[in-house]
Structures are given as C-alpha cells and as structure tokens.
C-alpha cells in the first residue's frame, strides 16, 4: 500500500470524526479536552466490556442450561 494513500485515508477518517462530533468548531484547547474525555470514556467502555461481558455470558449460559435440563459441569 502506498504510504500517502494511507495517510490521506487516516486524515479523511479524522475529518469525518470532527464533522460527526462537531469538534472542528472548538478552540484548540477545547478540542484537546474533548478528545481526552472521548478517549478516556472509550477506554473505560472497552475495559468494562473486556472484564464483565465474559462473566455475564458464562452466567447466562449456566442459567439457560439449567432451564433446558442439562446438568451443570460440576455435577457428576
């Protein structure tokens, strides 16, 4: 891939992000704060999903396996 095309594509994605969030109308220090808060919230959502979604999926599978009559793994 051409480096210039990748750079242009990333610039286009950033431009689209600015248009969607309307952050292009903010002053530079406001943009900095907005992007920091956005990245922090996104990181917290990803971390929470990584930690808690597998636990809830496992509990849901155990719940539905008990409803439909199969035995839990610990029962011999």
């Amino acid at each position: 891939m051409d480096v210039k095309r990748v750079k242009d594509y990333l610039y286009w994605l950033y431009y689209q992000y600015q248009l969607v969030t309307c952050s292009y109308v903010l002053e530079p220090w406001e943009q900095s704060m907005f992007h920091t808060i956005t990245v922090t919230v996104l990181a917290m959502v990803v971390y929470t999903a990584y930690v808690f979604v597998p636990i809830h999926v496992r509990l849901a599978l155990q719940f539905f396996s008990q409803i439909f009559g199969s035995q839990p793994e610990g029962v011999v």
Side-chain angles (χ1 to χ4, degrees):
M1 254 190 150
D2 189 17
V3 175
K4 184 177 181 340
R5 277 185 27 187
V6 171
K7 183 179 174 184
D8 289 341
Y9 180 68
L10 290 176
Y11 179 74
W12 179 79
L13 284 176
Y14 180 69
Y15 181 69
Q16 291 296 316
Y17 164 75
Q18 282 188 325
L19 287 176
V20 168
T21 60
C22 297
S23 63
Y24 62 92
V25 297
L26 301 174
E27 292 183 18
W29 71 271
E30 292 173 327
Q31 281 184 354
S32 157
M33 293 298 294
F34 178 77
H35 296 318
T36 302
I37 292 169
T38 303
V39 167
T40 303
V41 168
L42 183 65
M44 288 189 295
V45 166
V46 168
Y47 175 75
T48 302
Y50 175 74
V51 170
F52 293 110
V53 167
I55 295 169
H56 290 297
V57 168
R58 182 179 53 85
L59 290 174
L61 288 174
Q62 285 178 354
F63 175 74
F64 287 117
S65 68
Q66 288 176 0
I67 287 178
F68 294 120
S70 62
Q71 293 181 348
E73 293 177 15
V75 176
V76 178

